[in-house]
Amino acid sequence: MIGLISATAAGAVARDRLAAAWPGRTRVYEGPVPDAVRAAFAECGQLVCFLATGAVVRLVAPLLGDKASDPGVVCVDEGGRFAVSLVGGHGGGANELARAVGEVLGAEPVVTTATDAAGLPGLDTLGLPVEGNVAAVSRALLDGEAVALRAEVAWPLPPLPVADEGAYTIRVTDRLVEPGEREAVLRPPALVVGVGASKGAPADEVLALVEGALREAGLSAASVAELATVDAKAGEPGIVEAARRLGVPLVTYSAEELARVDVPNPSDAPLAAVGTPSVAEAAALVGGGELLVPKRKSAARPAMATCAVVRRPGRGRLAVVGLGPGARDLLTPRARDELRRASVLVGLDQYVDQIRDLLRPGTRVLESGLGAEEERARTAVAEARRGQAVALIGSGDAGVYAMASPALAEASDDIDVVGVPGVTAALAAGAILGAPLGHDHVSISLSDLHTPWEVIERRVRAAAEADIVVTFYNPRSRGRDWQLPKALAILAEHREPATPVGVVRNASRADESSRLTTLAALDPATVDMMTVVTVGNTATREIAGRMVTPRGYRWQEETP
Ligand code: SAH
């Protein structure tokens, strides 16, 4: 029984929702809270307290005995945002309870015990069918025992803490195998079954053909991703029903598309009937891959169905993830999810340090130093092409003076690419300074390592003439000290000496500093590579110590 205790009206509402969701499993304890907690602790296997953790700690502390037999206690805050596993995480099942409560109430489960907090994904939560001794292998992973990964099919899996050798094994295969005692088998959806059928072909015939073909080729039906056929057969009842019974989608292609696919066994019959010399083989091969079962016909006489089986290579996944300017709470939830989803992380060592604690155990980290951009880009793409789930990280937004463009210049269309935007240094600095980017603005990098100075100067001049707010990235380093003064001088030809200039160093990092000065007063010597410099346009003003660029000139005219 799960004892429920609340003290406030909001707590009672959440309590009642939980009680309604779990009929017969909960008991509400009313009355004075201390008495209610004591009674529930004595009578129930688990408690959910809609109370502050501090209050619950004080109330249960004197009652605690043995972690194997004490009830598990979960606290839910007044706002219903968190379900905290407070005591009895494992023995009392509080970790599981926190997750379950979180699910019912839409609260974030908060679990702080080692193995759970390490964020090991359950083998049954990877989104792939899994067979074999899942419980034993999951337990081995949690206990830190050596578990070997044997991937016969490359597939972009999330990180798993696996070893080269181990008493336990996770096998990734589409083949029919008898899992061993200490083995779990993950079934990647690698197989595409192309099917063709004459009008009125019975579902039983189609299904028997497909299942027979898979069985004889030693392939598992659990790895079938889809049935594929020609558009004209999209509504053929036998095919539709076979797909339904296999639990896979039916995907169809136009006859022209199929006619373009090179197949080993073309024939005239389908050409006459639907306009392509092959349906089964062509539909299976349309997305590329290896033909494992060439076209075969059903056993019925006359045969009304054909099928062919192809193994498609697992498509690797490259996530290009912006980490934001530095502060953890400026890293987006989506970026965090992608970091935890990748089994290979590629990045500059100092950025890896910024997020290392978020990575799941088993993540392979490929870090390198400054200057190795091209190599990082190549490595990330190469890993994705091997079928891995890769995250390539950059500070701020990874598409801004960062890794996205070198990586995508290398990438081909055989991998999936996902971009996760980040808060750029210019945006972070803008928020610190006030509202300098309220109207048109550009970023210009003053690094002439990759760009000739003539090009940079031309762009600075254009921005100056067009009266656009400019944020300078890479403004000044030890070896590059004349570029910033030169760029400021160009802007000064078109803007007043009193034009506001914001200088922000280490935006959102521990040693953040910022100052507001003017075009005339800025001392370039105070600027370094950790800094961005934002120069206002002719309308930008300092208002109450903040840098403000009006949204439009009309506003400026109307505002005294
Ligand atoms: N992708 C990054 C830019 C990388 S280029 C982004 O979107 O922001 C590196 C330059 O960015 C540095 O030389 C500096 O000018 C600027 N920069 C990056 N992070 C910064 C921060 N937290 N504070 C100030 N400037 C920063």
Side-chain angles (χ1 to χ4, degrees):
M1 191 56 66
I2 304 171
L4 307 181
I5 300 109
S6 64
T8 64
V13 169
R15 175 199 69 190
D16 293 344
R17 273 174 62 202
L18 203 58
W22 294 340
R25 290 177 52 200
T26 62
R27 183 187 305 162
V28 171
Y29 285 78
E30 309 258 19
V33 167
D35 298 338
V37 169
R38 266 192 295 276
F41 199 91
E43 295 165 10
C44 297
Q46 294 179 317
L47 275 66
V48 180
C49 302
F50 299 86
L51 302 166
T53 50
V56 180
V57 166
R58 284 172 207 290
L59 289 170
V60 301
L63 311 174
L64 293 175
D66 175 1
K67 78 173 182 184
S69 54
D70 282 343
V73 180
V74 167
C75 291
V76 177
D77 66 298
E78 180 76 11
R81 286 176 307 152
F82 303 106
V84 183
S85 169
L86 191 68
V87 285
H90 290 301
N95 293 348
E96 272 320 304
L97 181 61
R99 287 195 191 94
V101 169
E103 207 134 284
V104 173
L105 300 180
E108 175 90 22
V110 179
V111 171
T112 56
T113 44
T115 44
D116 294 273
L120 288 171
L123 283 179
D124 49 357
T125 65
L126 301 181
L128 303 186
V130 54
E131 298 162 11
N133 201 341
V134 181
V137 177
S138 298
R139 206 173 321 109
L141 282 172
L142 282 174
D143 293 346
E145 290 192 48
V147 178
L149 182 69
R150 275 175 50 203
E152 292 163 26
V153 177
W155 208 258
L157 296 172
L160 294 163
V162 287
D164 291 337
E165 297 288 325
Y168 295 83
T169 336
I170 299 171
R171 249 171 114 173
V172 185
T173 183
D174 56 16
R175 293 190 307 112
L176 273 180
V177 290
E178 196 49 54
E181 278 281 284
R182 299 177 156 199
E183 191 167 68
V185 180
L186 289 172
R187 296 297 190 188
L191 304 177
V192 182
V193 182
V195 287
S198 340
K199 202 167 166 34
D204 285 339
E205 184 176 335
V206 177
L207 199 61
L209 170 68
V210 170
E211 288 178 338
L214 291 169
R215 194 172 45 245
E216 281 167 41
L219 297 167
S220 167
S223 272
V224 174
E226 63 195 38
L227 247 48
T229 189
V230 64
D231 283 344
K233 298 291 174 186
E236 184 60 46
I239 298 183
V240 173
E241 175 61 14
R244 197 192 63 78
R245 287 200 224 155
L246 284 166
V248 299
L250 176 63
V251 179
T252 67
Y253 301 94
S254 70
E256 300 84 78
E257 208 172 341
L258 296 185
R260 281 197 297 271
V261 181
D262 212 9
V263 297
N265 303 296
S267 79
D268 291 338
L271 186 60
V274 288
T276 165
S278 165
V279 172
E281 285 184 349
L285 279 166
V286 129
E290 182 192 353
L291 185 63
L292 302 178
V293 181
K295 180 176 78 177
R296 56 147 71 192
K297 291 185 182 165
S298 50
R301 289 294 168 261
M304 295 184 82
T306 56
C307 86
V309 184
V310 162
R311 177 184 289 141
R312 266 196 315 215
R315 273 176 83 81
R317 190 169 191 281
L318 175 63
V320 187
V321 182
L323 301 181
R328 177 54 57 86
D329 58 357
L330 291 181
L331 176 90
T332 66
R334 191 181 295 186
R336 178 189 291 251
D337 288 348
E338 287 295 344
L339 295 174
R340 297 171 63 75
R341 175 172 181 163
S343 63
V344 181
L345 182 92
V346 183
L348 182 68
D349 40 19
Q350 72 196 62
Y351 298 152
V352 175
D353 285 340
Q354 203 175 308
I355 46 88
R356 205 181 294 272
D357 61 299
L358 293 177
L359 301 179
R360 281 184 158 154
T363 309
R364 193 148 53 88
V365 178
L366 305 175
E367 47 195 316
S368 46
L370 267 177
E373 278 77 25
E374 302 283 308
E375 181 208 313
R376 274 198 292 282
R378 262 198 305 278
T379 305
V381 171
E383 290 287 341
R385 294 179 93 170
R386 286 181 48 221
Q388 305 285 317
V390 182
L392 176 63
I393 58 172
S395 85
D397 183 276
V400 175
Y401 307 125
M403 294 307 298
S405 40
L408 298 197
E410 295 280 332
S412 37
D413 64 2
D414 56 351
I415 58 172
D416 292 327
V417 175
V418 178
V420 182
V423 176
T424 64
L427 293 179
I432 291 163
L433 294 167
L437 310 182
H439 206 269
D440 301 333
H441 55 276
V442 288
S443 292
I444 297 180
S445 168
L446 291 183
S447 168
D448 53 0
L449 296 178
H450 300 288
T451 309
W453 175 253
E454 292 70 32
V455 174
I456 298 173
E457 186 170 321
R458 182 149 38 91
R459 291 176 184 180
V460 174
R461 205 169 287 284
E465 286 166 1
D467 199 27
I468 298 175
V469 173
V470 183
T471 299
F472 290 117
Y473 275 74
N474 303 305
R476 185 171 175 275
S477 67
R478 235 171 291 146
R480 283 190 305 106
D481 58 358
W482 55 265
Q483 288 86 345
L484 179 61
K486 175 80 196 174
L488 294 171
I490 295 169
L491 290 173
E493 291 170 21
H494 298 266
R495 297 180 196 183
E496 295 295 325
T499 302
V501 175
V503 179
V504 179
R505 185 169 190 277
N506 281 326
S508 92
R509 297 179 187 142
D511 44 356
E512 168 184 306
S513 65
S514 70
R515 92 202 111 86
L516 195 50
T517 174
T518 64
L519 211 39
L522 173 66
D523 175 7
T526 60
V527 171
D528 65 9
M529 280 297 276
M530 304 288 142
T531 311
V532 282
V533 177
T534 299
V535 181
N537 66 11
T538 55
T540 306
R541 295 285 174 268
E542 181 182 331
I543 300 174
R546 300 184 191 98
M547 185 172 174
V548 181
T549 303
R551 278 196 55 200
Y553 294 88
R554 187 188 299 278
W555 178 81
Q556 184 201 3
E557 281 159 16
E558 286 168 1
T559 307

